[in-house]
Amino acid sequence: MSSVITGLEYRRVPVAEGVSLNVAVGGSGPAVVLLHGFPQTHLMWRHVVADLAEDHTVICPDLRGYGDSDHPVEDGPHTYAKRTMAADVVALARALGHERFALAGHDRGALVGIRAGLDHPGTVTHLAVLDVLPVPEMWEALRGVRGAVGFHLYLMAQPPGLPEAMIQAAPEEFFGHFLDLWANSPEAIPAPVRGAYLKACAGAVPSIVADYRASAGIDLEHDLVDRDAGNRLGMPVTVLQQDWGAALGYDAAALWGRWAEDLRHDTVGCGHFMAEEDPGLVVEELRTLLRR
């Protein structure tokens, strides 16, 4: 499969010193930025963009360190801090002519979106979060045997060297494990797409690990500062999640209420890769959010 979404225009856009992002752009109107998760690239939005592009400018980048975007070498905790990656997204939208935009993020991209909403509240007009928890609550939820589902978080939290070596020894098995385990509908990620994801991730192991390592350090620090200060997302927020609260023993809606003033929280029946497993639902939820 081609690593592009048909009908979108591709560009490389500088967003920081020495860092350019690969981005697909289409449509016209108010901007919506779509951020992918792990272990994916911007291709995860391929079933969503055509509908949104009918009346919005759709901006689909590969995140820093992923896909065909630049993979800067980890030079301290800030290189892959979500604050840094959120600044990339703001710079990208501005370079494309959009001072304000709605944002939807899945998994890792949702963490970038949350940080963008907290750091740039006058820029992010609406925020959709797909199947992730804020960083502090994520670590608090992973307790005992039930936390084994997040083993990769602990592996990639280790200092540089060991996790990279272990993953690079069997990258297809490692990344493929999550594509298999987290999809309720495996056919939603057909072999050509799966192959594109595995190839992209195998070529980006150090930067992917650095992204995760940041969430065990600097991202946690930043989020705890905001949580302790009572800072909240002021824009309309929609959270779509699997029933992780029941699985891990927390009240998901109450948890998210700490973070968002104008919140819609919905538990969905599809798997983790919801933009691929149930794109119609995701489009409907995004359009409902954009009308708020």
Side-chain angles (χ1 to χ4, degrees), residues 163-189:
E164 292 87 345
M166 292 179 68
I167 296 168
Q168 285 173 326
E172 289 197 9
E173 290 82 356
F174 180 77
F175 295 113
H177 167 81
F178 302 102
L179 293 172
D180 294 336
L181 183 67
W182 291 348
N184 287 0
S185 304
E187 66 276 7
I189 305 178

Side-chain angles (χ1 to χ4, degrees), residues 20-103:
S20 294
L21 299 187
N22 173 59
V23 58
V25 184
S28 61
V32 179
V33 177
L34 304 176
L35 302 180
H36 66 85
F38 164 92
Q40 301 153 291
T41 69
H42 76 283
L43 285 177
M44 65 158 282
W45 299 107
R46 63 194 179 278
H47 301 311
V48 172
V49 292
D51 187 289
L52 292 180
E54 291 177 1
D55 48 10
H56 289 81
T57 299
V58 179
I59 301 171
C60 294
D62 288 330
L63 293 167
R64 166 192 293 236
Y66 287 81
D68 289 327
S69 289
D70 286 341
H71 303 174
V73 174
E74 183 182 13
D75 184 20
H78 294 277
T79 308
Y80 286 94
K82 301 308 156 291
R83 175 160 286 162
T84 301
M85 297 170 80
D88 287 348
V89 173
V90 172
L92 170 66
R94 184 171 294 129
L96 296 174
H98 303 279
E99 293 295 329
R100 287 165 56 81
F101 55 86
L103 193 157

Side-chain angles (χ1 to χ4, degrees), residues 212-237:
Y212 272 85
R213 185 179 291 120
S215 289
I218 194 166
D219 296 340
L220 180 60
E221 294 172 13
H222 290 160
D223 283 8
L224 286 174
V225 167
D226 278 309
R227 192 174 76 175
D228 292 347
N231 296 334
R232 302 173 79 196
L233 297 159
M235 69 289 298
V237 175

